[in-house]
Amino acid sequence: MNNKDKVFIKIKGLYTGTMDEEASCEGEEAEVIESQDDEVEVINVGTYSVVNGKEYIRYEEVYDDSQERSSSIIKIDGDSVEVTKKGVVSTKMRFTMGSKNMTYYQTPYGNMSLGIITKSLEIERTEDTISIYLVYGMEVNCEHLSDCDMQITITTRELRIDE
């Protein structure tokens, strides 16, 4: 990929909302609740650039229940990935292997404190594609909310859903 290339960004994720007995906040055990799987797949068009050795993928998102747009940036810096959203929904989620990163998730309905625990992070490259594979846990207010698998594909080739 070259600087300022037009790229297609496909984000495919599986979110399993579960709470298990091992999830705890300061030693308090949480109750077991039902699990619920939610799979999401979206494709956006954006731009790719490199600034000071860091890769930036910029694109806009429109949410189902709103005509407002959010600008999004995926930043790849060595072996860490950061996803920043500004607009209807605002957040800065950082994925770094073996660490827990805290952030805020701002929505029209209020703000939440999130903990992101990266369990697996792989970045694969070919001439025209970057593939990012993430497995992470998400906490809200120190309680386990969900386990997530996400695949982000950034490519100069046009993409389709379920490709």
Side-chain angles (χ1 to χ4, degrees):
M1 270 188 269
N2 297 309
N3 214 15
K4 303 297 182 188
D5 268 351
K6 173 183 171 181
V7 292
F8 296 87
I9 304 106
K10 178 164 77 169
I11 301 173
K12 185 175 184 176
L14 176 64
Y15 306 92
T16 305
T18 60
M19 182 90 66
D20 59 43
E21 291 179 3
E22 296 174 13
S24 65
C25 183
E26 298 177 18
E28 296 178 18
E29 286 194 9
E31 293 180 27
V32 176
I33 61 171
E34 286 185 34
S35 69
Q36 180 180 0
D37 292 349
D38 189 17
E39 189 169 47
V40 175
E41 186 171 357
V42 296
I43 295 177
N44 291 292
V45 178
T47 59
Y48 170 87
S49 61
V50 178
V51 178
N52 297 326
K54 298 173 179 81
E55 298 169 282
Y56 293 87
I57 299 88
R58 291 177 167 81
Y59 61 98
E60 288 191 346
E61 291 181 275
V62 177
Y63 296 95
D64 293 339
D65 57 351
S66 172
Q67 291 301 316
E68 295 182 50
R69 297 182 178 271
S70 289
S71 62
S72 298
I73 300 171
I74 299 169
K75 179 173 88 172
I76 304 169
D77 182 6
D79 59 356
S80 72
V81 174
E82 189 174 274
V83 178
T84 303
K85 298 176 183 290
K86 292 181 181 175
V88 175
V89 172
S90 296
T91 191
K92 183 185 275 189
M93 299 187 301
R94 185 172 181 80
F95 302 93
T96 308
M97 260 312 291
S99 68
K100 177 178 175 179
N101 292 292
M102 298 302 294
T103 190
Y104 285 97
Y105 194 78
Q106 300 169 328
T107 73
Y109 310 106
N111 299 338
M112 294 183 284
S113 173
L114 290 182
I116 306 291
I117 303 104
T118 306
K119 299 174 182 178
S120 176
L121 169 60
E122 296 177 29
I123 302 171
E124 296 178 2
R125 299 169 188 279
T126 64
E127 185 177 319
D128 63 355
T129 304
I130 300 171
S131 298
I132 302 168
Y133 304 96
L134 287 164
V135 178
Y136 61 97
M138 191 179 305
E139 295 178 350
V140 173
N141 298 327
C142 219
E143 290 187 18
H144 181 77
L145 175 68
S146 65
D147 292 312
C148 309
D149 293 359
M150 184 172 12
Q151 179 178 349
I152 303 171
T153 304
I154 302 135
T155 185
T156 55
R157 296 179 291 113
E158 189 167 344
L159 293 172
R160 301 185 194 290
I161 298 288
D162 295 320
E163 188 174 281

